[in-house]
Amino acid sequence: MDSIKEKLKQICLDLTEKRIQEIEVGIASAQEAIFSDTKNSAGDKYETSREMLQQDLTRFENQLSLAKEDYAVLSNLESSPNKLIGLGSLIETDQGFFYIAVGIGKVMLDDATYYAISPQSPLAKEFLGKKKGNKVNFNQKEFSVKEIL
């Protein structure tokens, strides 16, 4: 099963890297728009346009920072199984598989569905510190921990 964790980790790394590249394209586009924006229009229109572009740039920069943090977290994950659920755990439950790493969501691997969730997510917080055989209640659903990989 370690190979599944490694494959999941690599998929998450690839998706996060792709997200970083897309954000960097957005930043470049926003910067280009700011620099090419000239003051041909009336003052208020120009200032509004420039402020909106600056807000876009700031939003992209914040997204980039978060994506790089996610990439760093993924890069440093250990693949060895633990007795207690923690960061990097792959959990098999009666409700599906959950990979506590970063908030990517649904990931398909070898015709199976896994959910990559952030350790800060409400569901992950319920799982953290639990062990095989424990039950977790979340959103009126009970999750029984079958295996920690």
Side-chain angles (χ1 to χ4, degrees):
M1 275 297 206
D2 274 347
S3 64
I4 290 176
K5 269 177 71 170
E6 285 299 317
K7 288 177 185 178
L8 277 174
K9 177 181 174 179
Q10 190 57 55
I11 289 170
C12 290
L13 280 166
D14 293 345
L15 290 170
T16 302
E17 191 171 328
K18 182 179 177 193
R19 192 170 96 221
I20 288 170
Q21 291 169 353
E22 289 169 353
I23 294 167
E24 287 173 339
V25 167
I27 287 173
S29 177
Q31 287 173 333
E32 183 179 321
I34 287 171
F35 291 129
S36 67
D37 197 16
T38 60
K39 203 168 188 173
N40 291 340
S41 304
D44 285 348
K45 278 187 180 179
Y46 169 78
E47 291 303 322
T48 301
S49 172
R50 190 162 176 84
E51 178 58 28
M52 288 174 65
L53 290 170
Q54 187 58 49
Q55 287 176 4
D56 285 347
L57 182 59
T58 301
R59 182 176 43 84
F60 281 130
E61 288 171 344
N62 289 338
Q63 290 175 353
L64 181 61
S65 175
L66 292 173
K68 285 183 176 182
E69 285 176 24
D70 285 352
Y71 193 86
V73 166
L74 286 165
S75 296
N76 293 316
L77 285 181
E78 295 292 324
S79 62
S80 57
N82 299 315
K83 296 212 183 280
L84 296 178
I85 296 172
L87 181 63
S89 292
L90 175 58
I91 311 159
E92 179 184 357
T93 74
D94 58 344
Q95 302 286 329
F97 290 92
F98 298 90
Y99 181 47
I100 300 181
V102 295
I104 289 180
K106 188 176 180 178
V107 175
M108 298 300 295
L109 174 63
D110 299 333
D111 297 324
T113 301
Y114 298 85
Y115 294 93
I117 60 176
S118 164
Q120 290 81 26
S121 71
L123 179 57
K125 285 181 179 180
E126 293 295 322
F127 279 127
L128 293 175
K130 300 292 191 282
K131 58 185 177 182
K132 182 179 174 179
N134 286 162
K135 295 182 188 300
V136 167
N137 290 304
F138 181 76
N139 275 357
Q140 287 106 25
K141 282 187 179 178
E142 185 175 83
F143 297 81
S144 180
V145 179
K146 291 179 165 184
E147 202 65 55
I148 303 169
L149 310 164

